[in-house]
Amino acid sequence: MNSQTDSLEKELTFTRFERMSEVYPDRPAVMYLGETFSYSELRDLSERFAGALRDLGVGKGDRVMVYIPNCIQWIIGFLAIQKIGAVLVPISPIYTSFEIEYMIKDAGVETVICQDTNFCYVKEVLPSTGIKRIIVTNLADLLPPWKRFLGVLFDRIPHGKVERNAQVLGFKSLLKHPPFRDKVELDPWKDLSYILYTGGTTGFPKGVPGNHIGMTSYVNDVTEDVAGQSLKEGEDVYLAVNPLFHIMALGLFMAVGLNKGNLTLLMPVPQVDAILECIQRYKSRWMLGVPALYRMILENDRLDRYDLRSLTYCYCGGDVLPLEVFHRWNAHTGVAIYQVYGSTEAGHVTYSRIGKKPKPNTIGEPLKSRRCLVVDPDTLEPVPQGETGELLVTSPYTLKEYLNKPDETSRSYVSINGDIYYRMGDFVRQDAEGDLIYVERSADIIKHKAYRVSASEVEAVLQNHPTVIGACVVGVPDAKVGERIKAIVVLKEDARGVGGAELLKWCRDKLAPYKVPSYIEFRDMLPKSKVGKLLRREIRDEERRKMTKDKRGDAS
């Protein structure tokens, strides 16, 4: 590990971008809304923004919240924050004032970079937080004047009302500052690169601090061991659709794009026709998406009009990839979907390996810098190979704590043989070839008649019915059988005559008897998170509240 550690300490993720800017100064780094930013131009803009931040009083260790969608300003801000040794706090641009107030206070944020459309939320929390400065931008700020004019003329550019004062500054105006080219001394083990927020069991988000060497470790693994010789330095094209405030998207963007001198096609929103047009026009070979995005592309009426032959390496993460999507994508494009799996706490953990035909039900092999254990969740003893257990992950490079949450830390991190492992909360099994097979999120395993039933497996079967567009399966506590299986289903608008009996028969034809739902409820929609994930916990909590209410009613 010593030689690997020396290599990681020598060149961090953002300094590797700087080296690429010297090797490929005129190579396009990012294309955003039709505008190309070369490596030398992107470095100059980020150093100018870094200089402006320093003059505003932002220094090493200070927290800077980035509250904007995918855009060139996001990348400039990220690189500048890393350059001066400050700490990136990226969040979803659709969070409300209630949500951002908690995170601003928890992380100790003093600087917020926001879009003009969500400036009102930052302004609302200003009196109750320690914010010292707000930097406001618009999606089209760095586009040519004629494009901005057309965007305004045809009402294609969202904009919001901003009240300027000494505390509220314009992003674009700060780019006039002289570049900051000094080197800030960083301890890659102790100094933070970012604080990312993820869901908490107490109802509040948990801040996950990440150090520089931790981020560099998995980015380096992806660049060298996963992509390897398949990635053409200085020649390749990567399509970035997923939001950069997610660790999966940011890591792959750096690994395949900026750290290898390649062009990234940056999409502000996942608009299917725009995605397909970009692939066709710029010959993108690499792509990352979530299962819902691949399904949206496959269901686009104009899909056959586009030439997607350049696509070679398609990765998917963030949720379980349905078998049907895996096979349909391969049949249409001739390209397999590779898997990427990880978490905010552990970083990138496993990848399907290039050169090895990906299996549809696996999440790949662990990265070189990650060590995985599959254990009994009660005893934490390793289970025999091939048996299902909870996945634990450790790495010598990562921090093992939540910000300001010792109780959450003690619940999620465990010590085994002197190493601290993170409990991923997922059930997996390992096959003979070393691939991890995803079984279920532990909170979504239904214990029915002493069997463990995968909620997502039952959902996948229901969603394969031609009239079903959404399904959520939960366990409802029952004294006799442990939990009864309940399915909540959303039908297509034009579905006629389909009832619970038909769907139960559909399940019985495809599932073992103990996996078939006890009953089915129909709804118009299912609860989703702000990034499109199904919120099973909301449904479970709702069912438990119903049971509590029914018991009170019976008692009275």
Side-chain angles (χ1 to χ4, degrees), residues 268-305:
V269 292
Q271 207 282 330
V272 174
D273 280 293
I275 290 169
L276 296 173
E277 176 64 28
C278 270
I279 295 170
Q280 176 177 271
R281 180 178 297 184
Y282 303 108
K283 309 301 180 189
S284 176
R285 293 206 319 141
W286 297 78
M287 172 183 170
L288 171 68
V290 295
L293 177 64
Y294 284 105
R295 188 187 290 275
M296 284 166 57
I297 292 173
L298 288 168
E299 293 178 355
N300 184 278
D301 293 338
R302 296 167 295 281
L303 179 60
D304 291 333
R305 300 180 187 178

Side-chain angles (χ1 to χ4, degrees), residues 1 48 91 114 121 123 179 310 330 408 435 550:
M1 189 184 80
R48 289 179 182 278
I91 64 168
C114 70
Y121 293 129
K123 179 186 173 185
S310 64
N330 196 1
E408 293 266 20
D435 284 315
D550 290 342

Side-chain angles (χ1 to χ4, degrees), residues 86-260:
V87 182
L88 174 77
V89 185
I91 64 168
S92 169
I94 60 174
Y95 280 160
T96 65
S97 56
F98 176 79
E99 292 163 312
I100 69 168
E101 180 178 13
Y102 169 79
M103 289 180 277
I104 289 169
K105 290 178 177 178
D106 186 59
V109 170
E110 294 183 344
T111 305
V112 177
I113 303 171
C114 70
Q115 197 176 346
D116 51 5
T117 52
N118 53 24
F119 169 77
C120 57
Y121 293 129
V122 184
K123 179 186 173 185
E124 191 175 331
V125 304
L126 197 56
S128 60
T129 62
I131 296 174
K132 294 181 178 178
R133 58 196 72 86
I134 306 169
I135 301 170
V136 186
T137 190
N138 178 274
L139 283 176
D141 263 356
L142 300 190
L143 299 185
W146 68 269
K147 279 193 177 181
R148 295 201 303 273
F149 172 76
L150 289 177
V152 173
L153 183 65
F154 292 102
D155 197 25
R156 299 298 298 272
I157 301 175
H159 59 276
K161 184 179 179 182
V162 178
E163 299 167 13
R164 305 277 182 176
N165 55 46
Q167 199 175 10
V168 180
L169 308 156
F171 188 102
K172 190 176 179 180
S173 65
L174 297 182
L175 297 178
K176 299 174 183 177
H177 194 281
F180 176 80
R181 295 199 170 109
D182 295 340
K183 183 178 179 180
V184 175
E185 291 300 323
L186 292 172
D187 183 330
W189 297 88
K190 295 180 181 179
D191 290 329
L192 297 187
S193 169
Y194 59 77
I195 298 171
L196 296 174
Y197 277 85
T198 186
T201 58
T202 60
F204 293 103
K206 297 174 291 189
V208 180
N211 54 2
H212 286 276
I213 202 164
M215 181 179 185
T216 303
S217 67
Y218 61 75
V219 168
N220 192 62
D221 283 350
V222 175
T223 302
E224 297 186 0
D225 298 329
V226 177
Q229 297 301 312
S230 301
L231 190 61
K232 301 177 181 179
E233 181 175 308
E235 300 177 22
D236 243 322
V237 181
Y238 169 60
L239 179 68
V241 185
N242 290 47
L244 292 172
F245 57 81
H246 280 173
I247 198 165
M248 177 177 69
L250 179 58
L252 204 58
F253 163 62
M254 295 304 293
V256 177
L258 294 192
N259 277 188
K260 292 296 283 185

Side-chain angles (χ1 to χ4, degrees), residues 300-510:
N300 184 278
D301 293 338
R302 296 167 295 281
L303 179 60
D304 291 333
R305 300 180 187 178
Y306 296 96
D307 181 0
L308 306 182
R309 285 177 295 178
S310 64
L311 276 179
T312 309
Y313 305 107
C314 299
Y315 273 92
C316 180
D319 211 341
V320 178
L321 178 64
L323 201 61
E324 165 251 347
V325 173
F326 177 87
H327 289 306
R328 283 176 63 198
W329 185 265
N330 196 1
H332 187 87
T333 65
V335 176
I337 297 178
Y338 295 90
Q339 296 269 25
V340 51
Y341 167 84
S343 72
T344 307
E345 294 86 348
H348 295 214
V349 175
T350 66
Y351 271 75
S352 300
R353 293 304 198 263
I354 293 171
K356 179 180 175 182
K357 187 177 180 180
K359 305 166 194 173
N361 60 340
T362 68
I363 54 176
E365 302 173 29
L367 296 175
K368 183 171 62 178
S369 64
R370 267 56 185 165
R371 189 160 70 251
C372 297
L373 289 179
V374 183
V375 303
D376 181 298
D378 298 320
T379 65
L380 299 182
E381 290 294 324
V383 300
Q385 186 180 46
E387 291 192 12
T388 298
E390 184 180 359
L391 178 61
L392 309 185
V393 178
T394 191
S395 170
Y397 305 108
T398 58
L399 301 177
K400 282 94 175 170
E401 64 179 352
Y402 291 118
L403 189 69
N404 307 323
K405 285 187 170 50
D407 292 340
E408 293 266 20
T409 298
S410 62
R411 277 192 290 267
S412 298
Y413 293 89
V414 293
S415 178
I416 299 177
N417 297 327
D419 292 318
I420 304 298
Y421 284 80
Y422 172 67
R423 303 186 70 156
M424 295 291 289
D426 288 325
F427 275 77
V428 303
R429 64 178 184 273
Q430 192 167 34
D431 67 15
E433 295 180 327
D435 284 315
L436 291 174
I437 300 171
Y438 183 89
V439 178
E440 182 56 271
R441 181 75 184 164
S442 60
D444 299 325
I445 289 283
I446 299 170
K447 297 178 181 179
H448 177 69
K449 295 182 178 179
Y451 291 102
R452 290 181 182 269
V453 179
S454 164
S456 62
E457 180 184 0
V458 182
E459 287 166 359
V461 168
L462 284 165
Q463 287 174 162
N464 281 336
H465 190 279
T467 65
V468 174
I469 59 171
C472 177
V473 173
V474 296
V476 179
D478 183 282
K480 294 182 179 178
V481 297
E483 289 179 299
R484 285 174 286 119
I485 303 171
K486 179 174 182 177
I488 295 152
V489 170
V490 178
L491 298 177
K492 293 180 179 178
E493 290 184 2
D494 58 352
R496 296 288 185 272
V498 177
E502 179 178 335
L503 293 182
L504 288 173
K505 181 180 183 303
W506 174 270
C507 290
R508 281 193 290 269
D509 290 341
K510 294 169 173 60

